Amino acid sequence: MRMVRIDNIGKGCRLARPVVNGDQTLMLSKGVVLNSYYLRRLKNIGYTYLYIEDESVDESKTKDIVSRKTRTQALKCLREIAESIKHGETFEVDSTKFAVSNILNEVIRNKDMVLHLANIDSHDEYTFNHSVNVTVISIIIGVALNYDLNKLFELGVSIFLHDIGKVLVPLNILNKPLKLADEEWGIISKHTWHGFYVLSNSPEVSFDAANTALQHHERYDGSGYQQGLRGEGISEFARICAIADVYDALSSKRPYRDRLPVHKVWEYLLKNKSKHFDPYILERFIKNIKIYPEGSIVTLNNGSAGYVIKQNPMNPIRPVVKVHWHNDIELPVPMVVNLIEEPSLLIVEVAI
């Protein structure tokens, strides 16, 4: 199985994974043979990459951190919470705890898998998918900080609900493809207060969760909102959320921009260490994950693609890659490329 840009997929290729929309509804099943109609329709909807079958790739090495079943259940939970909030009703906390328990169990079991998560190219339900992704990333950070299971669970619940205030923001503002006007920005920035109010008035939700919703856009140097808090004046869960939130947001396609390549995301995080982000938490995160685990399939900026075969611990965004393809054409003899020694080459995509 390989992840291939849709423009480079020819008729007759077979899907290696089902194509689903934002709420995980099946659009095309695994094994479907792609034709011109399918490719054109998917491209028009907004899909830029698909997974296609390739017998030379070990599918066991391209497993998602979170299964489709767990993600579907979590999205269902978030939709139900959103509906309750919109109608001024209390929401079911037990279903939240069940969803987070499933996510936590799968992250612990698959913690050595590639960090990148299944991103939905369609704009539908971005906020809910984003909340699931940020929960996964935050739990990974919690593991790096040596949290015990109870604290990981508390962290997971807090992060799962961190953006719930956005359900009270009009969709035309939330998904606007252009730069927001000052008035619109004022409306969307209030989602942190909305979330705090909703969660602090939910008896079974902890203060940590409400505080995370309020503080996750605060920045380590005091430049964030709503209160201009700085350093350890920001709750630790919110400092974790800030890193995970930005990581997933930059890695995802949005109405107003395409997703950034992985190296650009990490460059942004590192450039803002001690400015926007807690330096200790960010360093622990980086040192305790494999950004590109052995066996993950990566595409380089020169059109080559292959497997990661070795890490460079001093520079985790530049591993050693065994190149098998160039512009989706298989090479007669694979070649090994150490990205530390090839500064002009960068990883621009990773298949999971």
Side-chain angles (χ1 to χ4, degrees):
M1 175 172 61
R2 284 192 293 148
M3 184 174 71
V4 179
R5 184 178 288 274
I6 198 166
D7 291 333
N8 297 331
I9 298 174
K11 294 183 295 183
C13 290
R14 193 179 297 272
L15 276 175
R17 288 187 179 178
V19 176
V20 296
N21 64 11
D23 65 1
Q24 301 291 290
T25 299
L26 183 66
M27 298 175 67
L28 287 175
S29 299
K30 174 182 176 180
V32 166
V33 176
L34 295 167
N35 56 33
S36 299
Y37 173 77
Y38 288 150
L39 291 169
R40 184 170 63 253
R41 286 283 295 152
L42 291 171
K43 188 175 179 180
N44 288 341
I45 292 169
Y47 288 84
T48 51
Y49 290 87
L50 298 173
Y51 291 93
I52 62 169
E53 289 186 358
D54 188 326
E55 292 181 359
S56 66
V57 178
D58 182 357
E59 188 167 344
S60 67
K61 295 178 179 179
T62 58
K63 180 182 176 184
D64 289 337
I65 296 178
V66 175
S67 67
R68 182 182 169 199
K69 178 181 178 182
T70 292
R71 181 176 289 270
T72 300
Q73 189 274 328
L75 292 173
K76 180 175 180 290
C77 173
L78 286 167
R79 283 195 297 273
E80 290 171 350
I81 292 172
E83 286 303 307
S84 295
I85 292 171
K86 287 175 184 176
H87 291 93
E89 302 168 353
T90 58
F91 61 88
E92 178 55 60
V93 177
D94 286 346
S95 63
T96 299
K97 293 178 178 179
F98 179 73
V100 171
S101 292
N102 288 338
I103 292 170
L104 175 58
N105 289 335
E106 293 195 7
V107 171
I108 295 298
R109 189 164 61 244
N110 298 322
K111 64 179 184 291
D112 292 328
M113 300 306 297
V114 63
L115 176 59
H116 275 239
L117 297 157
N119 283 313
I120 305 300
D121 279 339
S122 164
H123 303 317
D124 296 339
E125 295 204 332
Y126 166 78
T127 296
F128 297 155
N129 274 288
H130 173 68
S131 293
V132 176
N133 287 351
V134 176
T135 301
V136 171
I137 297 165
S138 295
I139 290 172
I140 291 172
I141 295 173
V143 171
L145 293 171
N146 297 315
Y147 282 10
D148 62 28
L149 280 175
N150 287 334
K151 195 168 182 180
L152 285 172
F153 178 73
E154 292 171 11
L155 172 66
V157 171
S158 297
I159 305 301
F160 190 71
L161 299 171
H162 82 280
D163 253 352
I164 206 64
K166 282 185 177 177
V167 305
L168 298 176
V169 176
L171 283 176
N172 65 313
I173 296 177
L174 203 58
N175 292 327
K176 185 177 178 180
L178 304 173
K179 183 178 179 180
L180 294 173
D182 289 346
E183 183 180 356
E184 292 169 326
W185 171 247
I187 291 171
I188 201 169
S189 67
K190 289 179 182 174
H191 78 275
T192 58
W193 281 117
H194 294 323
F196 177 77
Y197 178 80
V198 167
L199 297 179
S200 61
N201 283 281
S202 301
E204 295 183 66
V205 176
S206 71
F207 178 74
D208 283 333
N211 217 24
T212 301
L214 177 61
Q215 296 183 2
H216 70 275
H217 283 293
E218 301 287 355
R219 292 297 175 254
Y220 200 72
D221 63 358
S223 63
Y225 64 89
Q226 299 287 335
Q227 299 164 288
L229 302 176
R230 63 173 62 236
E232 295 187 6
I234 307 166
S235 77
E236 187 164 279
F237 284 5
R239 280 179 276 146
I240 291 171
C241 188
I243 294 170
D245 180 69
V246 170
Y247 180 92
D248 186 66
L250 294 180
S251 302
S252 302
K253 185 174 181 179
R254 300 297 292 121
Y256 47 85
R257 61 155 174 80
D258 205 349
R259 52 181 151 184
L260 292 185
V262 177
H263 69 279
K264 290 289 185 184
V265 175
W266 284 100
E267 282 176 9
Y268 179 86
L269 292 174
L270 292 170
K271 185 176 79 171
N272 288 286
K273 184 174 75 170
S274 300
K275 296 177 183 177
H276 293 178
F277 310 117
D278 183 312
Y280 175 74
I281 292 175
L282 186 58
E283 286 172 7
R284 292 290 296 172
F285 181 35
I286 293 169
K287 288 180 180 178
N288 285 272
I289 62 164
K290 292 180 179 179
I291 300 171
Y292 305 111
E294 289 86 347
S296 55
I297 306 165
V298 295
T299 301
L300 306 181
N301 58 341
N302 67 348
S304 298
Y307 306 101
V308 173
I309 60 171
K310 186 179 179 182
Q311 304 293 310
N312 280 313
M314 299 305 293
N315 195 337
I317 67 172
R318 304 192 69 79
V320 180
V321 179
K322 190 171 187 178
V323 173
H324 284 260
W325 305 274
H326 185 74
N327 292 330
D328 289 313
I329 297 173
E330 190 166 1
L331 302 178
V333 179
M335 59 181 183
V336 175
V337 178
N338 187 341
L339 296 183
I340 286 281
E341 299 169 358
E342 301 289 344
S344 67
L345 293 180
L346 299 167
I347 293 174
V348 293
E349 292 293 342
V350 56
I352 56 176

